[in-house]
Amino acid sequence: MGSSVGKLVTRLKAAGEPSRLRLLSLLAAGERTVKDLTDILGQSQPRISRHLKILSDAGLVARNPEGSWVYYRLAEDDAELAQALVAGLDPDDPIIRRDRERLQAIRRQAQEHAERYFGQHAGEWDRIRSLHVPEREVESAILAAAGPGPFRSMLDIGTGTGRMLELFAERYERGLGIDLSPAMLAVARSKLERAGIGHARVRLGDITNLPVLRESFDLVVIHQVLHFVENPQRAIAEAAAALAPDGRLLVIDFAPHQLEFLREEHAHRRLGFAHGQMAQWIAAAGLNLASAQDLGPKPGAGPGLTVTIWSADRAQIARTTQTEAGETVR
């Protein structure tokens, strides 16, 4: 009891300062960098960093390094306390209202930057999408392959623009997207914020060395990522390691094709994956291949890409027991 009382007192002391309460209020609305918070509060970078360190040391705030940047968010372990403290603030207080207005301006700037980046690359993605069945049909099949849920936690490996986190938002309690591109993460953050999806976050990470706890996600998705990866088998093994015992893995990628321009112009390392190869990798990762669904071009549409959805779950080891009569049962 003394331990829990001491921890609570420490956290209340850390939060018991006007600037730090304002920081908690801002972080309750989503991840922010020190620069964002400096611009919003109008305080120096060293001062904001000191406040964040106090909140972090008390366990109220978590830091997420991303290249040369660090994103701060409310710590998941005690988010309820921080949310309760924020709920006690008057939203019409002039200082809180001004912070919220500045936050909205920061968000608009981030969205404009993300939209410029997305606009510069949209042509590439649109050209690839035009080669296979409509995206709506693919996404409908992905949702069906995952099952209705609900899922306590979802991991989107190689999240890109965060589309899978957005697609499954109503089915999971907590979502995490991992990507190696800070530019793409900026797009994902912007899209998730604009969609009002506050229960998902994204962070920088290598998909062949995932920065996540093992066996902690009910749904793991690898959507149109493996054809960019040098070692797809390693990525699947990492995904399997992150999968909870009763979880499900979805891999969505292209079937084998001969569209060489995708390698030359769009950095595709692999021109699709055969069912046999994928089945071997999934089995080597200790998973069962539950299903494989091909979504090919419409008849008469000419050469195009077939999208395949592989679904896998953990291999169940048969347990041998003895009945009272001595019969062996599996």
Side-chain angles (χ1 to χ4, degrees):
M1 181 174 181
S3 161
S4 63
V5 169
K7 183 184 294 185
L8 179 59
V9 169
T10 298
R11 291 178 174 176
L12 290 174
K13 285 182 177 178
E17 194 276 339
S19 293
R20 293 198 282 275
L21 272 175
R22 292 167 66 188
L23 288 171
L24 290 176
S25 176
L26 291 166
L27 295 178
E31 291 184 319
R32 298 265 71 93
T33 65
V34 173
K35 183 180 183 306
D36 291 342
L37 298 170
T38 298
D39 291 344
I40 294 170
L41 268 68
Q43 298 179 14
S44 68
Q45 184 270 328
R47 186 172 183 182
I48 293 295
S49 294
R50 179 176 176 277
H51 286 315
L52 289 169
K53 185 177 187 308
I54 292 172
L55 292 171
S56 179
D57 289 345
L60 289 169
V61 164
R63 57 194 308 277
N64 175 28
E66 189 170 296
S68 59
W69 296 86
V70 177
Y71 283 84
Y72 287 86
R73 57 182 171 80
L74 294 187
E76 293 179 0
D77 291 344
D78 206 359
E80 291 183 1
L81 173 60
Q83 294 284 4
L85 292 171
V86 170
L89 296 172
D90 180 1
D92 292 324
D93 180 281
I95 295 176
I96 298 299
R97 188 170 63 246
R98 185 179 61 186
D99 286 349
R100 193 166 59 245
E101 291 170 354
R102 289 177 176 172
L103 172 61
Q104 291 303 321
I106 293 284
R107 281 178 166 173
R108 283 194 298 271
Q109 291 172 9
Q111 288 174 3
E112 289 168 2
H113 177 78
E115 287 168 2
R116 283 196 300 272
Y117 177 86
F118 190 81
Q120 291 167 1
H121 296 81
E124 303 170 12
W125 296 317
D126 287 343
R127 183 182 180 191
I128 295 172
R129 280 197 293 265
S130 70
L131 296 170
H132 60 71
V133 296
E135 201 71 24
R136 180 175 297 180
E137 184 177 336
V138 174
E139 292 185 349
S140 177
I142 291 172
L143 288 170
F151 305 104
R152 291 186 303 274
S153 54
M154 171 185 171
L155 176 64
D156 184 22
I157 298 176
T159 193
T161 64
R163 176 55 190 160
M164 289 297 103
L165 292 172
E166 191 176 1
L167 181 68
F168 281 96
E170 295 182 357
R171 297 194 186 183
Y172 60 78
E173 296 176 12
R174 175 176 60 88
L176 174 64
I178 302 291
D179 204 285
L180 201 54
S181 167
M184 295 306 293
L185 290 176
V187 174
R189 281 194 181 92
S190 176
K191 289 186 67 179
L192 291 171
E193 282 195 345
R194 186 163 47 189
I197 301 173
H199 57 300
R201 59 188 177 88
V202 296
R203 55 187 293 200
L204 191 73
D206 182 353
I207 70 171
T208 60
N209 186 20
L210 291 172
V212 300
L213 294 175
R214 292 334 198 192
E215 298 188 1
S216 56
F217 293 91
D218 301 314
L219 176 64
V220 178
V221 178
I222 311 177
H223 177 253
Q224 297 291 14
V225 173
L226 290 184
H227 56 254
F228 291 112
V229 179
E230 181 69 31
N231 189 344
Q233 183 175 4
R234 173 70 181 275
I236 290 175
E238 281 289 291
L243 197 64
D246 295 325
R248 173 163 295 183
L249 168 66
L250 295 183
V251 179
I252 303 96
D253 219 297
F254 299 126
H257 61 84
Q258 301 299 321
L259 301 182
E260 192 66 36
F261 83 91
L262 292 177
R263 195 197 313 270
E264 298 169 352
E265 299 177 23
H266 299 286
H268 288 206
R269 292 180 177 271
R270 305 291 187 104
L271 298 184
F273 301 94
H275 285 296
Q277 180 67 85
M278 189 63 69
Q280 289 178 18
W281 288 340
I282 287 174
L287 303 181
N288 281 325
L289 179 60
S291 65
Q293 179 182 4
D294 290 324
L295 302 172
K298 301 300 182 186
L305 295 168
T306 292
V307 176
T308 303
I309 303 171
W310 292 275
S311 173
D313 50 34
R314 282 203 175 280
Q316 297 298 313
I317 300 174
R319 291 182 172 85
T320 301
T321 59
Q322 297 291 324
T323 65
E324 291 181 2
E327 298 175 335
T328 299
V329 211
R330 291 187 181 274

